[in-house]
Amino acid sequence: MPLNKETINVVKSNAFQVLERVDDLLSLSNWEKKYLGKKGEVVNITKQVCELNSVERPIIGTLINDLKQELSIAAQKRKQELATRTPSSHSVPPGTFFDLTAPGKRVPLGHLHPITQMRQYAEDIFIRMGFEVHETREVDDDYHNFESLNMPPQHPARDLWDTFWTENGLVCITHTSNMQIRILTSKSIPIRAIIVGRCFRNEALDARHEHTLHQIEGLYVDKNIKLSDLIGTFKKFLDEFYQRDVKIKTQPSHFPFVEPGIEFLLDCSLCQGTGIINKDRCSTCGGNGWIELAGAGMIHPNVLAEAGLDSQKYSGFAWGFGLDRLVMMKYGIEDIRHFNRGDLRFIQQF
Ligand code: DAH
C-alpha cells in the first residue's frame, strides 16, 4: 500500500484502539515496542518516506513526526495512570510482610465466557488488518434492520429472518447488518469496519440454530474493491483465527443488500468434512461435511445510494458471520446451545 495520510491515520487509530485495552505495565511496554520501537510501525512507515516525491515528502514527514509525538505522549499518560491507580485488593500494601510460601488463594471470580474470549481474539485480528471495531445496538428500528438494506416494507426477503418485534414496533436486531447504513454515512472513505454484537431470532432451535447469537459484520468500501478482495480478506482472517490454512468454499446466495451475494462454508471440524461420525450423520453440519459460516457479497448499489455514495465511483464488500459457529469449529463443540445453558462443566473447559 502506498504511504499516504490514510496509512498514517490507520496506524494511529489502531494504536489508540489497542492502547485503550492496555491494562498493565508489561502490555504497555509491548505496545511501545510495537508502535514506537526500533522495528515498530512508526519506524516502518518512516522508512517509506524516501520513496515519496519532493512535494509529498515534507507533508508526510511532518504527519509522521506528529504521530510519533502523539503516541509518546499517550504512552506516558497511560504509564502514569497505571502507576497511580488504586491498588487492587490482591496487592500488598507497602511495608507488609509477604509470605512467599503461603498456599495460593483461588480468586472466586470465574473467567470470561468462551464467546467473549473469542470475540476479543477476533477483534484483535481485525484491528491488525486495519479494521475499526464498532458495537451494534440490540434493539433498533425497521429502517435500519430492513428498509435501509434494500428491503422496503412487504419485501419477501424479510421472511429470511424470523424476527422478534417489541410491542411498540421496534426490532430485536436479527443481524449486525443493521449498523451498515450508520457506518456508511458517518465514516469517510476508505471505510474498513467491523460491527460486533448479539442478534436475536425467533426460530426453531437445533445444534446449529439459537435464538440468541453473536455476529461480526465486516464492511470495506473504497475505489475498485472486488469480490476477490472479499474472499482474500475473509480467508486471511480465518487462517489467523484457526492458525492454519483453512479449507473454505463459496457458493452463490441471495441477500437483498448485496449483488452478487455469496456464502462462505468451512469444512466441518467435527466430522473432518466427511458428514459422518461413528456411522451416523454428523448433527453439527447436518451430514454434508460443510458448515455455513457467513453471508457476504458486494454491497448493493441501492445501499450505497441510500448512504449517499456514488456506486459508479465506489464499491465495497460486506459480510456477516456467526461467531458462535466459528467458536464451535475451533473447539469441536457439537451443539450451539451449550453456550447459553450456563452449565459449568462446559464453561470451565475454556
Ligand atoms: N445479515 C445476514 C444474515 O444475518 C448476513 C450477511 C449477508 C451480512 C450478506 C452481510 C452480507 O453483510 O453482505 O443472515
Side-chain angles (χ1 to χ4, degrees):
M1 194 161 66
L3 177 60
N4 54 29
K5 201 169 157 196
E6 178 52 27
T7 337
I8 299 173
N9 281 340
V10 170
V11 174
K12 180 170 160 183
S13 90
N14 285 349
F16 277 103
Q17 281 198 32
V18 180
L19 185 64
E20 254 175 43
R21 295 196 183 157
V22 162
D23 204 31
D24 56 60
L25 290 169
L26 180 63
S27 327
L28 180 63
S29 122
N30 287 338
W31 181 90
E32 286 180 301
K33 209 185 280 168
K34 180 166 185 321
Y35 290 98
L36 295 164
K38 274 192 209 139
K39 291 186 183 159
E41 303 265 349
V42 173
V43 170
N44 249 347
I45 50 175
T46 311
K47 279 186 192 150
Q48 297 168 37
V49 171
C50 59
E51 292 162 16
L52 300 174
N53 63 35
S54 58
V55 180
E56 290 170 328
R57 212 176 297 145
I59 305 174
I60 297 295
T62 315
L63 287 176
I64 296 181
N65 280 340
D66 292 348
L67 170 69
K68 196 169 164 185
Q69 207 175 357
E70 249 181 278
L71 294 186
S72 312
I73 293 173
Q76 273 308 322
K77 197 169 149 228
R78 192 85 191 105
K79 200 175 276 174
Q80 274 166 8
E81 284 166 6
L82 291 173
T84 55
R85 74 176 166 188
T86 23
S88 76
S89 55
H90 308 303
S91 64
V92 183
T96 314
F97 171 69
F98 185 77
D99 183 1
L100 273 177
T101 61
K105 274 190 204 147
R106 268 196 116 180
V107 184
L109 265 181
H111 63 289
L112 295 178
H113 189 278
I115 292 288
T116 312
Q117 291 178 29
M118 285 299 111
R119 170 190 167 152
Q120 292 178 351
Y121 183 67
E123 285 177 6
D124 284 343
I125 298 173
F126 283 122
I127 289 172
R128 288 202 300 276
M129 291 170 80
F131 285 78
E132 252 182 30
V133 179
H134 295 267
E135 213 157 314
T136 182
R137 50 181 72 192
E138 296 186 345
V139 177
D140 209 340
D141 50 27
D142 184 276
Y143 172 76
H144 288 92
N145 199 81
F146 293 116
E147 205 170 335
S148 63
L149 295 166
N150 203 23
M151 280 180 279
Q154 318 304 334
H155 193 292
R158 288 175 171 229
D159 290 346
L160 287 174
W161 297 274
D162 297 308
T163 311
F164 286 114
W165 296 89
T166 66
E167 280 170 1
N168 53 353
L170 294 173
V171 186
C172 298
I173 62 157
T174 55
H175 50 188
T176 41
S177 311
N178 73 316
M179 295 297 283
Q180 281 198 11
I181 217 78
R182 290 192 180 89
I183 304 282
L184 294 176
T185 48
S186 64
K187 297 279 158 189
S188 51
I189 292 197
I191 297 170
R192 280 184 289 260
I194 59 158
I195 304 145
V196 192
R198 276 203 307 181
C199 312
F200 310 90
R201 296 194 185 165
N202 186 6
E203 63 186 359
L205 310 186
D206 63 26
R208 279 165 299 158
H209 297 93
E210 248 296 20
H211 50 69
T212 302
L213 56 139
H214 301 80
Q215 281 197 342
I216 300 189
E217 187 91 2
L219 274 182
Y220 194 153
V221 182
D222 202 348
K223 287 184 177 149
N224 289 323
I225 301 297
K226 298 182 283 301
L227 193 66
S228 50
D229 297 314
L230 161 62
I231 297 175
T233 308
F234 197 62
K235 160 91 166 82
K236 179 76 197 150
F237 162 73
L238 291 176
D239 285 350
E240 285 287 313
F241 189 84
Y242 291 110
Q243 293 287 302
R244 67 183 167 91
D245 185 11
V246 297
K247 197 164 139 201
I248 54 167
K249 75 171 178 178
T250 58
Q251 62 190 28
S253 187
H254 176 72
F255 301 95
F257 32 98
V258 280
E259 185 56 44
I262 60 169
E263 251 165 23
F264 283 101
L265 297 100
L266 180 77
D267 60 331
C268 176
S269 65
L270 281 122
C271 60
Q272 270 77 43
T274 60
I276 294 169
I277 297 183
N278 298 334
K279 298 198 181 137
D280 281 332
R281 196 170 59 107
C282 171
S283 62
T284 311
C285 64
N288 65 22
W290 293 95
I291 187 141
E292 202 187 286
L293 280 190
M298 300 305 291
I299 302 176
H300 197 289
N302 289 357
V303 176
L304 290 174
E306 184 69 24
L309 295 169
D310 180 354
S311 58
Q312 298 296 322
K313 207 162 149 200
Y314 300 113
S315 56
F317 62 68
W319 70 64
F321 67 77
L323 179 61
D324 311 64
R325 288 206 185 164
L326 249 76
V327 179
M328 286 169 74
M329 289 298 113
K330 186 159 174 88
Y331 291 121
I333 298 165
E334 80 294 354
D335 195 317
I336 195 171
R337 291 166 291 191
H338 286 312
F339 290 124
N340 284 338
R341 267 192 191 128
D343 185 337
L344 289 182
R345 289 168 308 175
F346 171 75
I347 297 293
Q348 278 167 347
Q349 295 176 54
F350 300 93

